[in-house]
Amino acid sequence: MRSLEASRDGLVQALHEHLDLLEEATRSMAVLRASGNTKQEPVKSALEKLKANRDKISEHVNAIREVSLSDQEEDVREDIIALLGYYVEIAYINEKRLLLGVKDTLDIKEDLESLEKLKNSAELILKSLGYYKK
């Protein structure tokens, strides 16, 4: 089992990558709209990269779920809370908005399902730490 610190650091990296990928996907969506929905390949490519990134984030979240967080140092728990809070409150919302923006053009059902599953996993961790009330 990987250490919590390694999962935390991997999550930081994956979330940073997520920001870049959202920007790329947003640009490719602009190209799609400007082309009258004919240039789908850049969006498909961007969505594939986002999916791979979502899988990385999910891997780190699952590793964090396997650790007893109550036994961890306060600063590590606070980092996890901040990172997962960011994911649930900002990254998830931005990715969902992006996906819904192409739902009439591309089949994104599986993407939305995996996105919801990941958000729910992150929320469970936050709830277990007493920092998420939804």
Side-chain angles (χ1 to χ4, degrees), residues 36-52:
N37 292 339
T38 61
K39 293 187 177 182
Q40 294 183 359
E41 198 52 43
V43 172
K44 288 179 180 179
S45 174
L47 293 182
E48 283 298 316
K49 291 176 187 176
L50 271 172
K51 181 187 180 313

Side-chain angles (χ1 to χ4, degrees), residues 61 84 88-89 92 116 118-128 132 134:
V61 169
L84 294 179
V88 168
E89 298 295 335
Y92 156 81
E116 290 300 320
L118 176 54
K119 179 195 64 126
N120 292 338
S121 293
E123 284 179 342
L124 284 174
I125 295 169
L126 290 170
K127 286 176 184 176
S128 76
Y132 198 71
K134 285 186 181 178

Side-chain angles (χ1 to χ4, degrees), residues 80-114:
I80 298 300
I81 290 165
L83 292 167
L84 294 179
Y86 165 79
Y87 180 79
V88 168
E89 298 295 335
I90 298 170
Y92 156 81
I93 291 169
N94 288 335
E95 186 171 352
K96 185 172 183 177
R97 183 180 307 128
L98 185 130
L99 289 170
L100 291 175
V102 296
K103 73 177 179 156
D104 294 335
T105 308
L106 301 172
D107 180 14
I108 48 117
K109 182 181 177 186
E110 288 182 22
D111 291 298
L112 287 173
E113 288 172 357
S114 69

